[in-house]
Amino acid sequence: MKQLSNNKCILFLFALFFISGLNAQTSSTYERDWRTDRQKIKIISYNIMDGFSNGSDKDRIARFTAWVKEQSPDVLALNELCGFTEAKLKELAASYGHPYAAIVKENGYPVGLTSKTPIKVVDRKIDGYGHGCYIAKS
């Protein structure tokens, strides 16, 4: 009788884990932090190296765009946006699904942010920073 109870218990635990696994796979695409119950966001920092050769390296731009689409970050920070204006950055960002972009320029190596949600630049710092710094809200 005790062996039968243990088997039922094991079967019940297996079913419980199986059902909870199915539930996790069908839940929202946004993960929540278990400690704070806040939504997690995905942030990627990427150095595009000399502005994709000042925009002439079309193959690298295409591979980059495909990779960013695959990664699907909420916010993307970009370094070495040489030759970029904010309008050009917004055009690139739109190609991978980010409708918002902001840029900081300094010493010929501008940096920028793109995002799925609006970016509110609170402050831009240049002095004392190698490429510049944002204080922003998204």
Side-chain angles (χ1 to χ4, degrees), residues 4-115:
L4 185 58
S5 292
N6 285 344
N7 287 343
K8 284 183 182 178
C9 184
I10 291 171
L11 183 60
F12 173 75
L13 290 174
F14 175 76
L16 184 65
F17 286 121
F18 179 74
I19 291 168
S20 66
L22 286 178
N23 185 35
Q25 291 175 3
T26 59
S27 66
S28 168
T29 59
Y30 289 105
E31 187 178 349
R32 299 193 75 76
D33 185 280
W34 64 273
R35 296 168 296 227
T36 63
D37 196 37
R38 291 186 179 164
Q39 180 179 313
K40 291 183 179 182
I41 62 170
K42 186 174 189 177
I43 301 171
I44 295 177
S45 176
Y46 192 92
N47 187 324
I48 66 170
M49 195 174 82
D50 198 28
F52 296 116
S53 300
N54 286 317
S56 66
D57 195 341
K58 304 296 183 198
D59 184 52
R60 193 158 48 103
I61 294 169
R63 288 191 324 261
F64 167 80
T65 301
W67 179 81
V68 173
K69 284 180 182 178
E70 180 182 309
Q71 297 303 310
S72 188
D74 298 295
V75 177
L76 180 62
L78 296 167
N79 299 327
E80 292 194 29
L81 291 169
C82 304
F84 272 76
T85 61
E86 197 159 291
K88 187 174 175 183
L89 179 59
K90 285 181 179 183
E91 183 181 324
L92 176 67
S95 74
Y96 52 79
H98 281 194
Y100 304 98
I103 198 167
V104 170
K105 290 191 175 215
E106 206 250 322
N107 294 335
Y109 290 102
V111 296
L113 290 175
T114 70
S115 177

Side-chain angles (χ1 to χ4, degrees), residues 116-129:
K116 291 179 179 177
T117 58
I119 299 169
K120 180 182 178 193
V121 177
V122 176
D123 196 5
R124 298 173 195 229
K125 305 272 185 192
I126 294 178
D127 295 333
Y129 296 89

